[in-house]
Amino acid sequence: MTHVREKFATQVDKDLLAEIRRIAKDEGRQLQSVVEDALRAHVEERNRAKPRRHVIDAYRSSLPRFGVLYEKLAK
């Protein structure tokens, strides 16, 4: 599978960039590979932190029936 790459420019803290460069060198990888992995991990972490729409919908639909129980469990 071919990945289409897009160039972009940004700025980052010099100490952080030095650490990323060190990691790339220690692992024998290109800087862009380490940066891409870090960006992918960040996106995946954010996606895991968000409740899925069907879960929220199920919760909301259960409130009329179980709302009092949820409040008691929260205490």
Side-chain angles (χ1 to χ4, degrees):
M1 181 172 156
T2 303
H3 293 280
V4 176
R5 304 235 181 258
E6 185 173 331
K7 289 186 177 189
F8 73 100
T10 189
Q11 295 182 356
V12 64
D13 177 81
K14 70 178 186 117
D15 295 331
L16 177 59
L17 182 57
E19 183 67 15
I20 295 297
R21 285 184 169 139
R22 184 194 62 73
I23 290 169
K25 182 179 178 185
D26 289 351
E27 295 179 359
R29 299 168 60 195
Q30 292 183 351
L31 177 64
Q32 78 177 32
S33 174
V34 176
V35 170
E36 189 171 300
D37 283 353
L39 290 171
R40 186 175 289 111
H42 180 71
V43 168
E44 289 172 1
E45 178 64 29
R46 285 184 59 107
N47 287 340
R48 278 195 303 271
K50 292 180 184 176
R52 293 169 292 194
R53 170 62 40 206
H54 73 277
V55 174
I56 294 299
D57 290 344
Y59 166 73
R60 286 186 178 142
S61 69
S62 73
L63 279 175
R65 184 172 178 191
F66 298 110
V68 174
L69 175 62
Y70 296 157
E71 288 180 21
K72 289 180 180 178
L73 289 171
K75 291 181 182 181

